[in-house]
Amino acid sequence: KTWEQYRGKGRKMAVRSSPTFIPPQFSSEDLPLWAAYKDELESKYDKIEYSVRLHGQKLPETEDPTYAAMWEKITARRVDTVGHTQDRIDIIEFRPFAGPSAIGQLQMYRTLYEMEIAPTKPIKLILITDLITDHILLTAKAAGIEVIVIPRK
């Protein structure tokens, strides 16, 4: 994957070299949310990472070591998007009709990111969805997760 640096609006951004770039590993349900929020992402962050792998499990020593790298890849968790500003790191999950699993997933991502990356800046969790119930919204806010609702078209 070839990434290029370019200057846009005075910021240094990581972008795919193709104008038809689609983030890797995004589902067909996630893509419309990302597309609706893409311009905001690009204007808000100094650096954007997609499909960030975190904390793949080590293969048990009793297993064939030939499969160690593959096992670590398939057991790793993938963060949809990580946005970096000068002061903060945002872990962003795109989830249509967000439910309780989106909250747990974001909390797990923060824990794994802190363990593996050991950032020096604070982490903020952001959930981008098209539909959310009141009780999920209240729970997300109580957990310190910012929720951005992009209405369905």
Side-chain angles (χ1 to χ4, degrees):
K1 297 176 182 171
T2 306
W3 291 87
E4 295 177 352
Q5 294 293 322
Y6 84 104
R7 290 224 172 250
K9 298 182 183 174
R11 293 178 170 226
K12 207 171 187 184
M13 304 282 292
V15 297
R16 185 72 181 194
S17 56
S18 166
T20 58
F21 169 70
I22 295 174
Q25 308 297 323
F26 272 47
S27 71
S28 59
E29 292 83 22
D30 294 349
L31 280 173
L33 289 171
W34 171 79
Y37 199 70
K38 179 179 178 274
D39 289 343
E40 180 75 20
L41 283 172
E42 290 179 355
S43 68
K44 189 175 187 178
Y45 297 107
D46 300 321
K47 178 182 173 188
I48 302 168
E49 299 175 282
Y50 293 103
S51 194
V52 178
R53 278 195 192 130
L54 294 175
H55 207 68
Q57 300 293 301
K58 301 292 181 201
L59 189 67
E61 290 181 19
T62 57
E63 300 297 323
D64 182 349
T66 309
Y67 301 108
M70 179 182 66
W71 179 254
E72 193 166 343
K73 272 187 174 182
I74 64 172
T75 59
R77 299 297 174 175
R78 289 181 186 266
V79 177
D80 283 348
T81 305
V82 177
H84 300 262
T85 69
Q86 191 172 14
D87 305 322
R88 183 178 84 227
I89 296 168
D90 291 352
I91 295 177
I92 305 165
E93 175 71 12
F94 291 90
R95 182 72 65 89
F97 190 49
S101 63
I103 295 168
Q105 196 165 1
L106 277 164
Q107 291 173 323
M108 178 183 63
Y109 289 161
R110 176 179 39 213
T111 300
L112 295 177
Y113 196 90
E114 288 171 342
M115 285 173 48
E116 193 163 320
I117 308 298
T120 57
K121 299 185 269 187
I123 294 174
K124 181 178 181 179
L125 304 178
I126 300 175
L127 172 60
I128 299 176
T129 187
D130 56 355
L131 194 58
I132 192 166
T133 61
D134 289 344
H135 59 281
I136 301 298
L137 183 60
L138 287 170
T139 304
K141 288 189 179 198
I145 298 171
E146 179 182 345
V147 176
I148 298 169
V149 178
I150 298 175
R152 293 180 180 197
K153 291 184 179 185

